[in-house]
Amino acid sequence: MASSLLNSSVTRVSQWLASPLRPRQYLELLNPLWAEQSCGRIEKIQRETDNAVTLVIRPNHRWQGAVSGQYVRLGVDVDGVRHWRCYSVNSAQRPGDETFSVTVGRVNGGRVSTYIQDTLRVGDVIALDKAMGDFVLPTDATAKLLFISAGTGITPMMGMLRSLRDSGIAADVTHLHFAPTEKDCIYFNELNDFARRPGFNLHQSLTREGGQHFDAALLDNVCPDWAERKAYVCGPEGLMNAVRTHWQNNELSSQLCEEVFQPVRAEVPAGAGGTVLFWNAGSSTEGAGDKPLLEVAENAGLLPKHGCRMGICQECVVTLREGQVRDLATGEVFGESGETIRICVCAAAGNVTIDL
Ligand code: FES
């Protein structure tokens, strides 16, 4: 790691010596945090479980701040290529705070989460984008809240809980949290500390240790006044669907706030897909009907701009030249020449040409 950092610094210095620099770029040579772009130094790495670590990040002067529960795109360089991923701010944030934290869970086969878990070190500098999203506490401090989370879906809620605690607000909060085992449950001890606070009602369900999954009966039992609360849900697709459906069936969708970590996927007919022509690159490849065009392009050796990979940030938008695409969330086939599409959530629906 040390030698790869040295090599990349030497390369950077050589490149910059070969071209005129602005004063800020000379400063960046001395300290990457003086960069013109938003970035942050890893100040602390704390292991939460075997498969989750918390990063405490000290951003540079370009950082515009965050609200607990919002998501931030982190740009991590893996093998010389910058990858962007979204993570929720899980620290209590106040104006002027000099650090913030996120927790990163390991995704099987995930390039970025694996790099963060195994390779990233204290002192490394990563790129940052501005915080976004409205998965945050309501402005009405007296609102009764209901948090429903599973796995790393708890991270934005932990940010909100810490904010409430640090602000001295004794909010009325019921929290249902699901994890396979106690060992897998991030913030297990801190949650139990919260449970001792007045107004905080915690129900942790360890689903491989006798606990049950979310259903309406459990909700009624743990939180009989659930319909009167501002509700937040974040977790795997199964939990999100079950909660969304329950709120829809009770015509309460407007009271439910969702944070999606994994993109929703519709059924795709067998054999869908086609040849994908990358117009600017002048190359083509086969694209399966259920594979996002972003992945198709990456597998073909291209490096399209992207962020969340979930259809949220719009960073991956490109122009469709010919053919049609399938929205992988809804299954809808659409597209006209000149239309823009998000390649992280669209797949080829027949032969297609895109501006990449
Ligand atoms: S990468 Fe964020 S919308 Fe596609």
Side-chain angles (χ1 to χ4, degrees), residues 113-170:
S113 69
T114 302
Y115 180 87
I116 289 174
Q117 300 272 330
D118 300 341
T119 310
L120 195 71
R121 295 287 176 263
V122 168
D124 286 354
V125 173
I126 58 172
L128 301 174
D129 201 353
K130 64 174 185 282
M132 289 190 278
D134 52 10
F135 199 78
V136 297
L137 288 169
T139 47
D140 177 5
T142 64
K144 293 202 290 184
L145 307 176
L146 169 59
F147 293 156
I148 305 174
S149 58
T152 51
I154 195 174
T155 56
M157 289 152 193
M158 183 52 73
M160 293 188 241
L161 287 173
R162 288 168 173 163
S163 277
L164 288 170
R165 177 196 60 199
D166 291 3
S167 311
I169 297 172

Side-chain angles (χ1 to χ4, degrees), residues 187-221:
Y187 320 130
F188 183 80
N189 292 332
E190 191 172 353
L191 274 176
N192 286 318
D193 288 344
F194 275 116
R196 287 189 272 277
R197 296 175 67 84
F200 187 75
N201 170 27
L202 172 68
H203 178 86
Q204 289 205 73
S205 188
L206 304 172
T207 52
R208 284 192 207 144
E209 294 177 350
Q212 69 174 101
H213 290 275
F214 174 87
D215 67 18
L218 175 67
L219 181 63
D220 286 338
N221 187 26

